[in-house]
Amino acid sequence: MKKIFGVFLSFLLGVQFLGAENNLPSLLFGYLKNDLTLQKAALTAQSKALDYDSTKINNGIDLTVSTGTVKIQSSSDGTKYTFTPNAVLSIPEWNGTKLTASFPMTKKSGYESENGTFLDDGNVKISTGIITSAPLKRKISLLEAERSYIEAERAAQNQALTVENDFYTNLKTLYGYVSDVLSKKDDLYDDELDLRVLTAQGYSKTSASYRKKYLEIQSDRRNVNEALRKLERETSIFAIKCGVDYTRVFDPKTFDIKKADELSEQALTAVKDFLPMEIPNVELEDVLSYKAENYTDTESALWNQYIGDLKRKTDYKMELGAYGGYTFNESSSKYDTVDGGLTFDWKGITASAGVSVPTGQNLFPLDGSSGGQSSKSPVYTFSLTLTPNTWRLASIDKKQDALEEKIDEISVKSAADDYETAILDKLTERGDLRWSEKSYAEEYDMYSQLEYDMDTWLKAGSVTESDYLDAANNRDKAQMNMLVNAVEKIIYNNKVKLLFVKEKD
């Protein structure tokens, strides 16, 4: 149980993030915490852990002690007490060994001729398997319960990774919306530059070219504001999923179309202040560093093959058991007897043979007699049961098991083929991400330098403010590309982890 909570604590705390000034850890923490599917998976894992504990107890040493039903009967002759104390000790791991003891006792008081305590058919018996599948069946039961727990824990861990990927996918989408806003602002800056060129060329405000370009600029501004409203709407939804507040600048309840241009920069700034503008630069997972046998489909196929083989071994194994015991004051002979026998079961044939040998005395003559009476002849018992349909079904089941064995082998081979495809796919994706990372970094450095130069030239009066804003806009778009690449690397790493089962600590 502690292991489960430790695993989820590490997921929810987010171990690979930057400093406290970055709001990424708190957003991810809230996103994971609010996901109901993840909560259900965590509770399911805890439930399976309890089931596993129960199975271990049920397949361990078991002791049952009982007083039996106590009867008290009173009459004019006296009082009669009847009870049957008994005990059963089971040790499944010892070939299903079981020790039982039962002592039917009657105590009479007040009777003229029968006062005292009487024991009839009391016995102590031990039985065990000589040739038996009981230990193997016990092992299968424990393995399946453990597997169920392990799979539930893995499902919870995988769900945490899946939800984390959902978080980063949403974040990547929001960065895409920011880029869309910036691209539309690019169009606006380009058209504004074209308008200045027309003005410089002497076109009047009433000319067709000027009016056309002016209308295009108004359309560009409308497109920017629409993209910003969409960005804010999706950011608000994302904030709710993270369990945090976000106040929209373009509030649909108070929005004034006349103030749209004034609010545009405020809205974009608000979104940038809310969204993480720095993503940790993680090392890309090397898919070849994972063991092939830990590939999820391969591990599952190998497990099914293993547990299937164990179950098939229990289907046709001959069962041979033995028992021995001692009966006190056996009711038919009134003597103590030593008992023993064998049991046999195989494909619908059930047989048993036993013998009870009187000892010739009572070891515990509770009625006050001295025992030591003459010996009686042994009593032999024998039984044989044949179930033809069980025999016939066993033949069919054996053929079915042979087919299932081949199916398991094919599943293992199929998983191996899928592994090769998955490895090639991830190696290709890894190479693409590395190339994109380098390309976007170079692009960002170039536009950052251009923005710096434009700022210097703007202060010197060499360029217009529009020229500077265009350069700053391109730098911001390059930054968005870098953030998207960083997010894609984290998503890639999580997907690689989901391809393999985690090795036991």
Side-chain angles (χ1 to χ4, degrees), residues 155-168:
Q157 294 172 359
N158 290 344
Q159 183 61 33
L161 286 174
T162 300
V163 175
E164 184 179 342
N165 271 2
D166 289 342
F167 168 84
Y168 282 112

Side-chain angles (χ1 to χ4, degrees), residues 255-276:
F255 176 69
D256 185 354
I257 188 68
K258 297 179 181 179
K259 297 181 179 180
D261 292 341
E262 178 185 340
L263 297 175
S264 292
E265 288 303 320
Q266 295 180 30
L268 186 57
T269 301
V271 171
K272 286 184 175 181
D273 288 342
F274 175 79
L275 295 178

